[in-house]
Amino acid sequence: MHSGGFSRRDMHRMARSTGRRSNARRPDAEMTILEEVPAALQRQLESVLEEKEDIKIAISTDLQFDGSYGKDWVLATEKRLLAFNQNGVPAPEVQNIALEAIDEIEIRELYGNNFMKVRTSEGAVEVARYSKRLAPKFAEATPEIETLIDKVKPEDAEKSKRHRKFVDPGKKKIRCETCGRPIPRWSDVCPNCVEKGKLLVRLLKYAIPFWKVSVPALLIMLVIRLVGVYPPILSKNLVDDILVPATMAMTGGQPVDPGAFGQLLTIVFMMVGAHVFTAVFSAVRGYMMTWVGQRITLTLRNDAFQHMSVLSLDFYQQRETGNLMSRITQDVGRLRDFIAEGLQDIIGDSMALVYMCIIMFVINWQLALWVLLPIPLIVLFSFYFGHKMHKVFHVLWRRYAGISTILASTIPGIRVVKAFTREKYEVDRFEEQTHQVFEGEMNAAKLWTLYQPIMTFLTYIGTVLIWLVGGRQILNGELTLGEIMLFMTYMTQFLQPVRTLAQMNRRFLRAATSAERVFEILDTPPSVASRKDAVDLPNMRGQVEFRDVFFSYDNEKNAINGISFTTKPGEMIGLVGHSGAGKSTLINLVTRFYDPNEGDILIDGHDSRDIELRSLRGQIGVVLQEPFLFEGTVADNIGYGKPDATRQEIIAAAKAANAHDFIIKFPDGYDTTVGERGARVSGGERQRISIARAILKNPRILILDEATSSVDTETESRIQEALGRLIQGRTVFAIAHRLSTLKHANRLVVLKEGTIDEIGTHEELIAKGGTYANLCEKQTELSKIRAW
Amino acid sequence: MKQPIRIEDEAQFLDPKLVKISHNQFAELQAELPDGSVHAPVEPVRTFPLTQPDQYISLLDAQKNELGLIEDINQLERADRTLLAEELKKCYFMPKITRIYSLEGQFGVTQWEAETDSGSVFFDLRSRNDITSLSGGRVLIKDIDGNRYEIVNYHQLDPKSIALLETQI
Ligand SMILES: Nc1ncnc2c1ncn2[C@@H]1O[C@H](COP(=O)(O)OP(=O)(O)OP(=O)(O)O)[C@@H](O)[C@H]1O
Ligand SMILES: [Mg+2]
């Protein structure tokens, strides 16, 4: 390792001496292909350019050819292309290529950087190296340069390979237009520019509806705290007014005041009274606040889940299930603690401190000052400690989340684990994680065990001070025995609220982290949502039009690359193409699991984004490529999309999907539970149940993504036949690799790398002899072999 | 009885001594394979770009069909190795971060300012998922535009950089 020889401290020192900040400037988000050329370059240009030769294009790079960050330039005039390579400073190397000579401009998209390369008949040179950030600029400039070339070489503008589409329109907006900050992948809105209250204020909002309980609870607490400071005063009175005079009297040989026992009794009663009062009301208050806390949890948790269910698929793809689960379960609980308890603790503890201070200062302000002396130390220590603790807890939290992640991935995948006999591996992985948790917990414990003695010692300083200063005052006759006892008691009572208050910041931090995580869910706007003015489309005819649709999952590679075609209402479209061609993606766009990055999908002539999502999806029936069943009975699953479905409808749908026959063979018939994810039924059965589920909705648009891929050919043709009857008047998109599945299709769309390769009826495509014909031939051959 | 196939034989490695790498007139990588065929342009692809950058290099032709695999570029003749290594260095650009000056943002959507072995740089991330931490403190970062960065061992950064980074991983 290159830096292995340095200790951390060395590195730190070195880093300091090189200055705190880099002098790099944040690159402009704005992209223009005619940038302002710096003066030095301008001067050089004058020597190269002819009279009246104008710069048409000037773009700077952010990388140099040696792979360091820096600016090179590519310029184009109507005559030539110039590339300035600043590595050769002070006399930069210049590439000067006449436009006539250029055959092609090539963009090489590589890992982490791109190159622009110019090819002439004799050779080729790289003219620019730039990071992915500038890719759009260069993609825009390239066709412009080509246009310039075409002007000097009009004769071969046609036949040249130029004018390939470099501009990649499928890219989603990734930076905010107002602030230039990145926009999260799962959202269309810049979180920074969305007006957002401070976390705390927002948290309080959840407590407000319960003010009728929490305000009285707060009042009770204030009273309890007030009463709580009273017993020490009583003891003081007991000592000073009764016990000490009595002792004095006895040492002086005088009789004790006969009324003294009566007084003693009164004070003891009052003490008991105060304790009973505090105990009873603390219990009442505790119950009230638990209620408030649980109500808050209820609202917050349901809000979060409700919002989560609205969120689009890309939100889920970005996160681990375990992570999302712990937000709904743990983080919400932590927020509850904070809102319900934390805030009241702050108020209550501060009040208790104020009460005690007042009393101490009234009794003896000098001693009071001495007592307060160690308090800043205690605060500082708790503060510092809380900070440390927060870090440890944060790590610990992540480790706990790691456990959930492992569980969430191995439990559903247990079949694979067993099939590959990787139980040991998974167990080891789990053990490693639990060990990490163990270590984390022990780290936390280490801190805690250190904390206790130090805290005790700091308090002890206070006690010692009281003995010292207070004792001297007693000797001087400035303080009574009862008073010094009172100070002693307060000293210990002081400690707990001071500690809680000092650690408040940690609680704040923890709550803030949890709040961030919960609010992330609540604040994320779904990237696919109904517009405000979205309309219902009650009787969809089922005409679907794709207009220049582009879509990318990751903004790097387009999954759909410019697709346009229209289905007639009631038409059955078969989608074919090799694996990964974009078939499932295309239908994901129809159901609006995702929205196209560019282009429109129109349903019955309405932009699908203008149609109320409920209305749209309510009329689309989908059988997904990986059919998912919920834990529940067969009937529940078939009726999932239509909760009010009658038994009769359920049976009818099952019949149409050819599922009825196998369902009634189950001992429990339609009441059979399918297990989590439908694990207790076979693959083909799962598919048929999900077909029944889609049919039952009576959708206007039916989507079958490899819906019958796991059933035998005979069953398939029976489903086909039933579907053939059912799909009358519905638009159907059917995806299949087995071409026989698509024999009822009116038209076939052959996809290839996100574009339409061929489109037409079976006969047309066979006649054309293209990809589809090829595929068909192969499959018939195959079926012949099989038949034979 | 037939011998069961050995799965290792399925990956076809080229004899490193018989592979000749050069540039053609169009500054493209050209490869002469053991069977004597000459291909250009050839695109070298690291099959384990993160864990084994110099081993298992796949050579693709213009149609992205694999011509063959090179087990280890160090087995090539010196001149060939230099050319191939240079091309790989161009094709895989992943600066190493040596220091993080600032890191702002929330919810994993962050803006970074960092020093790398290629100079100082600003970049933006749009999700915490774009940061991958591997064993040994190695951290891989992919920014919003698709640029990649690497931290060889984050424990060896200065404390401030570590503190900033640890908020994200
Ligand atoms: N969720 C996703 N995130 C990122 N990329 C994806 C995602 N889903 C699919 N892709 C990519 O998009 C491309 C198209 O995928 P799609 O699922 O549409 O293929 P398909 O035609 O349905 O293939 P198959 O016949 O195998 O089902 C593929 O290259 C795939 O890797
Ligand atoms: Mg698919």
Side-chain angles (χ1 to χ4, degrees):
Chain A
M1 189 154 309
H2 65 285
S3 52
F6 298 118
S7 74
R8 249 192 221 186
R9 181 169 296 173
D10 283 338
M11 306 253 301
H12 191 47
R13 208 183 304 128
M14 278 173 2
R16 264 214 197 131
S17 62
T18 55
R20 300 194 65 76
R21 287 240 143 192
S22 72
N23 46 15
R25 297 267 309 282
R26 183 163 276 277
D28 312 329
E30 193 194 10
M31 300 269 174
T32 158
I33 59 167
L34 188 55
E35 294 172 47
E36 197 168 325
V37 177
L41 190 60
Q42 194 81 50
R43 276 193 296 281
Q44 275 174 19
L45 274 174
E46 277 158 21
S47 64
V48 181
L49 297 187
E50 295 166 18
E51 294 262 319
K52 295 228 191 101
E53 194 178 342
D54 284 335
I55 296 171
K56 299 285 188 201
I57 290 164
I59 43 179
S60 59
T61 71
D62 56 356
L63 275 178
Q64 296 179 324
F65 283 103
D66 63 356
S68 61
Y69 293 107
K71 258 190 183 184
D72 283 352
W73 285 85
V74 175
L75 303 140
T77 67
E78 56 276 67
K79 292 212 171 85
R80 69 190 92 233
L81 187 80
L82 295 163
F84 287 82
N85 182 349
Q86 310 266 322
N87 281 342
V89 176
E93 191 189 315
V94 187
Q95 300 277 3
N96 185 338
I97 308 160
L99 290 186
E100 282 120 345
I102 298 178
D103 277 346
E104 196 188 349
I105 294 183
E106 217 180 285
I107 300 245
R108 292 182 71 195
E109 298 210 8
L110 303 170
Y111 186 98
N113 67 158
N114 290 3
F115 283 83
M116 184 186 244
K117 191 169 168 183
V118 173
R119 190 188 274 262
T120 64
S121 47
E122 285 101 58
V125 287
E126 278 158 356
V127 290
R129 181 177 192 176
Y130 52 95
S131 81
K132 297 284 179 190
R133 177 190 273 262
L134 297 186
K137 180 169 83 178
F138 278 80
E140 201 188 320
T142 311
E144 296 295 326
I145 300 176
E146 291 180 331
T147 314
L148 291 175
I149 300 174
D150 286 348
K151 281 197 189 130
V152 293
K153 292 208 289 188
E155 66 284 1
D156 54 44
E158 298 286 303
K159 65 174 194 304
S160 77
K161 274 193 280 173
R162 297 194 301 260
H163 287 294
R164 268 187 302 141
K165 205 158 61 172
F166 279 116
V167 188
D168 216 342
K171 300 283 154 94
K172 213 171 150 183
K173 186 174 79 165
I174 51 173
R175 283 196 176 78
C176 175
E177 274 154 17
T178 29
C179 69
R181 273 170 233 254
I183 295 175
R185 189 173 284 149
W186 58 89
S187 153
D188 272 340
V189 187
C190 172
N192 193 51
C193 293
V194 177
E195 197 57 50
K196 215 171 1 167
K198 284 255 174 284
L199 286 177
L200 269 184
V201 180
R202 294 187 59 188
L203 279 180
L204 273 182
K205 248 185 25 210
Y206 283 90
I208 288 171
F210 310 111
W211 68 271
K212 279 187 185 157
V213 181
S214 39
V215 170
L218 183 63
L219 293 178
I220 293 178
M221 154 124 91
L222 294 183
V223 176
I224 293 174
R225 291 300 164 105
L226 193 59
V227 173
V229 296
Y230 202 56
I233 300 181
L234 288 175
S235 331
K236 170 191 154 281
N237 291 346
L238 185 65
V239 172
D240 283 352
D241 301 346
I242 305 166
L243 300 183
V244 173
T247 329
M248 304 268 275
M250 276 192 288
T251 37
Q254 281 157 358
V256 180
D257 180 6
F261 184 66
Q263 286 173 337
L264 177 76
L265 221 52
T266 326
I267 288 183
V268 169
F269 266 123
M270 284 170 82
M271 280 175 167
V272 172
H275 275 289
V276 170
F277 179 89
T278 352
V280 169
F281 279 91
S282 294
V284 172
R285 182 185 163 273
Y287 186 78
M288 287 161 78
M289 283 320 286
T290 310
W291 183 83
V292 171
Q294 292 303 338
R295 291 299 306 203
I296 292 172
T297 320
L298 196 70
T299 331
L300 208 54
R301 198 168 273 164
N302 289 340
D303 276 7
F305 186 68
Q306 196 267 336
H307 193 80
M308 217 158 104
S309 71
V310 175
L311 286 176
S312 322
L313 292 179
D314 26 5
F315 179 84
Y316 291 91
Q317 276 184 5
Q318 294 298 313
R319 287 167 179 74
E320 290 147 1
T321 315
N323 178 312
L324 285 178
M325 274 164 52
S326 76
R327 296 187 198 203
I328 301 277
T329 52
Q330 290 177 12
D331 287 313
V332 165
R334 249 201 237 158
L335 285 187
R336 179 226 25 234
D337 281 349
F338 181 76
I339 310 173
E341 288 299 329
L343 293 180
Q344 294 224 343
D345 281 354
I346 301 181
I347 302 175
D349 287 339
S350 331
M351 286 324 288
L353 290 183
V354 171
Y355 296 149
M356 287 191 269
C357 282
I358 292 174
I359 295 167
M360 288 196 293
F361 272 92
V362 166
I363 292 175
N364 186 322
W365 67 269
Q366 291 103 328
L367 186 56
L369 279 181
W370 281 103
V371 170
L372 293 184
L373 201 65
I375 299 295
L377 271 181
I378 296 181
V379 171
L380 265 182
F381 175 69
S382 300
F383 204 75
Y384 165 80
F385 180 80
H387 185 69
K388 282 235 128 146
M389 215 54 201
H390 173 70
K391 265 196 176 165
V392 173
F393 273 129
H394 189 72
V395 172
L396 195 55
W397 178 87
R398 297 197 76 87
R399 292 180 180 176
Y400 272 114
I403 291 194
S404 313
T405 309
I406 294 183
L407 290 179
S409 78
T410 39
I411 296 176
I414 193 70
R415 276 163 203 262
V416 183
V417 174
K418 288 192 176 298
F420 288 88
T421 53
R422 293 291 269 171
E423 291 93 337
K424 186 164 173 344
Y425 165 78
E426 296 294 345
V427 168
D428 288 349
R429 213 157 65 104
F430 187 77
E431 275 179 4
E432 195 190 312
Q433 193 66 27
T434 48
H435 265 112
Q436 288 200 351
V437 168
F438 172 77
E439 272 165 29
E441 286 282 12
M442 288 324 286
N443 278 342
K446 235 184 265 168
L447 273 181
W448 270 121
T449 41
L450 263 183
Y451 174 77
Q452 280 307 339
I454 296 182
M455 211 54 181
T456 319
F457 180 72
L458 287 179
T459 337
Y460 190 62
I461 296 181
T463 323
V464 170
L465 278 176
I466 296 176
W467 282 128
L468 203 70
V469 180
R472 191 164 156 272
Q473 286 184 334
I474 290 187
L475 295 182
N476 292 345
E478 292 159 4
L479 194 76
T480 65
L481 198 56
E483 283 166 350
I484 202 170
M485 274 179 62
L486 176 114
F487 273 89
M488 279 296 177
T489 328
Y490 276 180
M491 182 69 211
T492 42
Q493 284 196 10
F494 233 69
L495 212 67
Q496 188 264 327
V498 165
R499 230 186 282 172
T500 4
L501 283 180
Q503 280 176 21
M504 216 53 232
N505 85 310
R506 193 190 88 211
R507 259 168 110 168
F508 266 98
L509 273 177
R510 279 184 86 166
T513 336
S514 287
E516 200 188 88
R517 295 160 48 78
V518 174
F519 285 140
E520 180 182 0
I521 296 181
L522 289 173
D523 287 349
T524 304
S527 62
V528 174
S530 297
R531 289 194 182 153
K532 280 213 185 66
D533 49 356
V535 292
D536 273 353
L537 202 62
N539 287 308
M540 205 184 263
R541 284 179 299 124
Q543 186 210 46
V544 182
E545 178 180 354
F546 297 87
R547 261 194 213 160
D548 267 329
V549 175
F550 287 85
F551 176 76
S552 166
Y553 285 104
D554 50 11
N555 253 348
E556 273 185 44
K557 193 179 110 231
N558 282 353
I560 297 292
N561 227 329
I563 283 194
S564 305
F565 75 96
T566 311
T567 68
K568 298 184 209 61
E571 194 179 21
M572 177 169 177
I573 298 286
L575 289 170
V576 239
H578 60 82
S579 184
K583 304 180 295 292
S584 302
T585 310
L586 195 67
I587 58 137
N588 278 342
L589 295 177
V590 177
T591 51
R592 287 197 73 203
F593 286 153
Y594 302 93
D595 275 340
N597 297 1
E598 195 131 306
D600 308 300
I601 295 174
L602 292 94
I603 297 191
D604 292 358
H606 297 270
D607 187 333
S608 65
R609 281 164 290 209
D610 290 334
I611 305 172
E612 191 61 46
L613 262 182
R614 283 192 71 82
S615 166
L616 176 78
R617 291 196 185 138
Q619 298 178 72
I620 298 181
V622 242
V623 180
L624 297 175
Q625 192 165 12
E626 289 109 29
F628 187 96
L629 300 185
F630 290 98
E631 169 83 70
T633 66
V634 172
D636 289 344
N637 271 291
I638 296 179
Y640 190 74
K642 193 178 178 193
D644 56 352
T646 62
R647 299 277 147 137
Q648 198 181 342
E649 285 174 308
I650 289 178
I651 294 177
K655 280 214 152 182
N658 222 300
H660 182 72
D661 293 352
F662 80 79
I663 295 172
I664 54 173
K665 284 193 192 122
F666 291 147
D668 290 338
Y670 280 88
D671 292 327
T672 310
T673 47
V674 296
E676 199 177 359
R677 291 161 198 257
R680 267 181 252 150
V681 293
S682 84
E685 288 166 349
R686 217 173 303 149
Q687 281 192 332
R688 280 179 276 169
I689 293 174
S690 46
I691 295 176
R693 176 169 66 188
I695 293 175
L696 181 63
K697 259 173 89 182
N698 194 12
R700 309 307 306 168
I701 299 177
L702 183 63
I703 291 172
L704 305 168
D705 191 349
E706 291 285 1
T708 50
S709 59
S710 317
V711 298
D712 57 285
T713 19
E714 173 151 2
T715 313
E716 183 183 30
S717 67
R718 258 185 274 145
I719 299 175
Q720 287 292 328
E721 193 231 326
L723 282 181
R725 277 181 276 119
L726 277 167
I727 58 183
Q728 302 290 329
R730 288 167 223 276
T731 307
V732 181
F733 289 93
I735 300 178
H737 286 297
R738 208 193 280 163
L739 297 176
S740 61
T741 314
L742 302 175
K743 63 183 171 216
H744 293 286
N746 302 94
R747 272 194 298 165
L748 294 152
V749 176
V750 185
L751 292 185
K752 190 178 181 185
E753 286 168 16
T755 55
I756 297 185
D757 188 19
E758 292 175 341
I759 182 164
T761 62
H762 174 78
E763 290 73 25
E764 282 168 12
L765 294 183
I766 292 287
K768 192 173 164 227
T771 321
Y772 179 78
N774 233 325
L775 269 176
C776 258
E777 198 174 319
K778 281 199 191 121
Q779 295 208 356
T780 358
E781 252 168 52
L782 198 69
S783 59
K784 269 188 209 141
I785 295 169
R786 281 221 180 113
W788 178 70
Chain B
M1 223 177 78
K2 264 204 269 180
Q3 284 290 314
I5 37 163
R6 277 166 32 98
I7 193 86
E8 297 86 359
D9 297 340
E10 292 291 299
Q12 288 170 352
F13 291 106
L14 300 170
D15 182 347
K17 298 290 167 216
L18 298 178
V19 176
K20 291 272 159 282
I21 308 277
S22 56
H23 279 296
N24 70 3
Q25 73 184 116
F26 297 112
E28 291 161 346
L29 208 64
Q30 176 170 304
E32 187 186 330
L33 302 186
D35 63 6
S37 60
V38 178
H39 304 264
V42 168
E43 186 188 339
V45 170
R46 285 177 174 158
T47 48
F48 297 90
L50 304 178
T51 46
Q52 285 190 298
D54 289 342
Q55 281 79 41
Y56 307 109
I57 305 296
S58 167
L59 299 180
L60 303 185
D61 68 8
Q63 282 74 47
K64 309 261 170 190
N65 296 320
E66 183 168 274
L67 297 167
L69 280 163
I70 292 174
E71 194 169 358
D72 189 336
I73 64 167
N74 295 315
Q75 296 167 347
L76 293 173
E77 298 294 342
R78 192 189 188 83
D80 300 314
R81 180 177 65 214
T82 321
L83 279 177
L84 187 60
E86 249 171 37
E87 183 71 11
L88 283 171
K89 231 179 115 195
K90 259 164 64 175
C91 291
Y92 291 85
F93 183 63
M94 182 154 78
K96 295 185 174 65
I97 292 177
T98 50
R99 183 170 161 75
I100 301 169
Y101 294 111
S102 77
L103 196 169
E104 287 157 20
Q106 54 175 354
F107 303 159
V109 180
T110 41
Q111 302 188 290
W112 301 51
E113 186 188 349
E115 189 65 45
T116 70
D117 57 354
S118 284
S120 57
V121 63
F122 281 99
F123 58 91
D124 300 329
L125 295 197
R126 50 191 332 203
S127 141
R128 248 179 218 154
N129 280 27
D130 292 332
I131 307 177
T132 318
S133 27
L134 305 175
S135 59
R138 187 155 178 231
V139 178
L140 302 172
I141 298 170
K142 184 173 139 198
D143 81 1
I144 185 168
D145 299 296
N147 296 311
R148 322 270 177 154
Y149 308 90
E150 175 185 12
I151 301 173
V152 178
N153 180 353
Y154 85 85
H155 300 294
Q156 298 196 348
L157 297 179
D158 58 294
K160 187 188 159 203
S161 302
I162 294 179
L164 284 174
L165 187 69
E166 275 181 344
T167 59
Q168 300 298 313
I169 58 174

